[in-house]
């Protein structure tokens, strides 16, 4: 396509010779490239794109000059042009074409959904490299009569915690503000935020009016570019699409023992306080890979100084290999996870391949007809700790697998030999097909 656009812009005489083909062929063979160009030539070119490309290329006299010079040299001597010179020119032509494609879009509205995942696109472009990804994105954003809508369901955090390495929530927020308000507006907003912060820090009850003025100034600035909408507002009682359900978290005696064990080990090893981890995940010694507690414990055992530590560990509070091999019953090991597991498995969710429809057209059958399945929805679990995803997924997955395997064979096992036989049976069945 680039070849035919160049032909339209530069004229047929500039490209209908071996030099131009060799210049643009890249890693393709010359004959294959000629055939591909011929096949693409049967496709119609978008006139708006061709016009935009012509305008952009006309402003790049250096690129046009390099193209003519290199193609003439390649026409005479294929080895007379360095490979990197060809690639650099193709890269510049593609960047020019990318800008032309953006201009040809002519959008009325650009929506960036979950924009916090692409926060680097909101950065100001590098003036020394206007055609990099940031420059191209901002070229799109600067189109005439075009509006931009940023959407996100993720709230900004007010401050960055010490364990959030590489994160700076204030910097991200101000970067978004600069994108929405312009550089000057963002600097004024920064000053208003600073003033509001100072009033809060110095608040003594007598300066309430000044504090409220600062607060309203910040709100007024934000309301020019931001709005918060809730699905709750779709109904008169502001409860649309929301039903609050409380999952009971029952604390068991061995939960308290598990904390006491983790606390003893943490104190002896000089690791962090395990309270938050214990509240969030089960079987900490099994799952806390990468955390100080597990690192220090392994190091102590390797040094041969683990006798005292081993005495502080209660084996019945760890995952049992014998229990897992026999598909034995496994307690979730954490009050919160126990509540989630009870809620999920009471609906027989382990029998379902997918979530049932919320508003089915027909009466569900089979396992989908279970009364609990009718109200089954997905669960979102939020946590700041890396130990939570592997622990929760492992425990719940084991419960599901156990139910599935025991439902077909009450004597099913989960040891290495049973898994080897199962893989063999699966492979044999696949080979038979």
């Amino acid at each position: 396509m680039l070849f035919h656009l160049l032909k339209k812009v530069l004229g047929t005489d500039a490209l209908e010779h071996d030099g131009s083909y060799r210049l643009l062929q890249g890693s393709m063979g010359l004959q294959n490239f000629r055939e591909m160009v011929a096949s693409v030539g049967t496709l119609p070119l978008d006139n708006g794109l061709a016009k935009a490309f012509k305008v952009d290329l006309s402003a790049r006299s250096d690129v046009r000059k390099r193209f003519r010079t290199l193609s003439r040299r390649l026409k005479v001597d294929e080895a007379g042009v360095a490979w990197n010179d060809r690639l650099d020119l193709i890269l510049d032509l593609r960047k020019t074409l990318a800008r032309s494609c953006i201009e040809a879009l002519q959008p009325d509205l650009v929506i960036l959904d979950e924009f916090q995942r692409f926060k680097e696109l909101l950065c100001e472009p590098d003036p020394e490299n206007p055609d990099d990804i940031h420059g191209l994105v901002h070229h799109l954003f600067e189109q005439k009569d075009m509006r931009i809508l940023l959407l996100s369901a993720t709230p900004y955090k007010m401050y960055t915690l010490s364990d959030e390495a590489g994160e700076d929530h204030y910097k991200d927020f101000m970067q978004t503000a600069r994108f929405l308000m312009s550089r000057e507006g963002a600097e004024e907003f920064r000053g208003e935020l600073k003033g509001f912060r100072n009033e809060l820090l110095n608040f003594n009850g007598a300066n309430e009016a000044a504090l409220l003025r600062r607060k309203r100034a910040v709100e007024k600035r934000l309301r020019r570019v931001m709005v918060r909408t809730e699905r709750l507002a779709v109904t008169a009682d502001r409860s649309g699409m929301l039903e609050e359900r409380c999952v009971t978290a029952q604390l068991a005696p061995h939960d308290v023992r598990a904390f006491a064990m983790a606390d003893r080990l943490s104190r002896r090893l000089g690791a962090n306080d395990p309270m938050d981890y214990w509240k969030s995940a089960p079987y900490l010694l099994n799952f806390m890979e990468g955390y100080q507690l597990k690192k220090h414990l392994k190091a102590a055992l390797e040094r041969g100084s683990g006798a005292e530590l081993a005495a502080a560990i209660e084996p019945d509070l760890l995952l049992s290999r014998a229990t897992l091999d026999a598909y034995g019953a496994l307690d979730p090991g954490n009050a919160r996870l126990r509540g989630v597991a009870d809620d999920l498995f009471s609906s027989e969710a382990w029998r379902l391949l997918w979530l049932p429809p919320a508003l089915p057209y027909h009466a569900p059958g089979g396992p989908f007809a279970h009364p609990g399945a009718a109200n089954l929805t997905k669960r979102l679990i939020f946590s700041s700790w890396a130990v939570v995803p592997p622990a929760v997924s492992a425990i719940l997955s084991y419960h599901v697998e156990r139910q599935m395997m025991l439902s077909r064979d009450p004597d099913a096992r989960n040891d290495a030999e049973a898994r080897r036989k199962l893989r063999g049976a699966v492979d044999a069945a696949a080979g038979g097909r």
Side-chain angles (χ1 to χ4, degrees), residues 202-238:
N202 298 319
F203 184 72
N204 57 14
N207 58 341
E208 181 177 354
L211 178 63
L212 291 176
R213 281 197 302 272
R214 295 286 190 181
K215 171 180 175 289
R216 285 192 287 268
V218 170
E219 292 174 340
K220 182 178 180 181
R221 179 80 64 174
L222 287 176
R223 283 171 178 161
R224 295 174 185 171
V225 293
M226 295 183 184
V227 62
R228 176 175 177 173
T229 58
E230 300 284 357
R231 291 181 178 178
L232 305 180
V234 301
T235 57
D237 62 355
R238 301 188 67 81

Side-chain angles (χ1 to χ4, degrees), residues 111-163:
I111 300 175
L112 299 182
D113 194 17
E114 296 295 340
F115 75 90
Q116 78 282 351
R117 297 185 180 182
F118 317 104
K119 57 187 179 183
E120 68 277 1
L121 296 182
L122 305 185
C123 297
E124 295 182 357
D126 182 1
E128 299 297 326
N129 190 15
D131 289 332
D132 68 353
I133 182 62
H134 299 102
L136 291 174
V137 168
H138 279 262
H139 187 58
L140 170 63
F141 294 159
E142 292 164 3
Q143 297 300 299
K144 184 180 179 182
D145 298 327
M146 196 262 300
R147 296 293 182 266
I148 305 169
L149 178 62
L150 307 183
L151 300 178
S152 176
T154 304
Y156 275 102
K157 294 183 180 179
M158 295 299 293
Y159 53 88
T160 306
L161 299 174
S162 59
D163 63 293

Side-chain angles (χ1 to χ4, degrees), residues 354-419:
W354 51 78
L355 287 175
L359 298 173
Y361 291 103
H362 306 285
F368 292 93
H370 187 279
N375 296 320
L376 183 64
T377 60
K378 65 182 180 181
R379 271 65 170 168
L380 298 180
I381 298 177
F382 294 92
S383 177
S384 299
W385 309 118
V387 67
V388 172
V392 170
S393 59
I395 299 300
L396 293 183
S397 295
Y398 174 78
H399 275 266
V400 170
E401 182 177 326
R402 175 176 180 269
Q403 295 274 21
M404 292 171 58
M405 298 302 291
L406 295 183
S407 67
R408 59 182 291 273
D409 179 7
D411 297 322
R413 289 189 58 80
N414 188 35
D415 54 23
E417 178 64 17
R419 287 188 172 274

Side-chain angles (χ1 to χ4, degrees), residues 247-252 255 275-282 332-343 381-385 388 392 396:
V247 176
T248 302
Q250 294 288 345
L251 189 67
D255 294 339
M275 174 64 77
D276 286 333
Y277 308 133
W278 170 78
K279 290 192 296 184
S280 302
N334 175 275
R336 290 174 174 175
L337 185 57
R338 191 175 297 113
V340 172
D342 291 344
D343 181 46
I381 298 177
F382 294 92
S383 177
S384 299
W385 309 118
V388 172
V392 170
L396 293 183

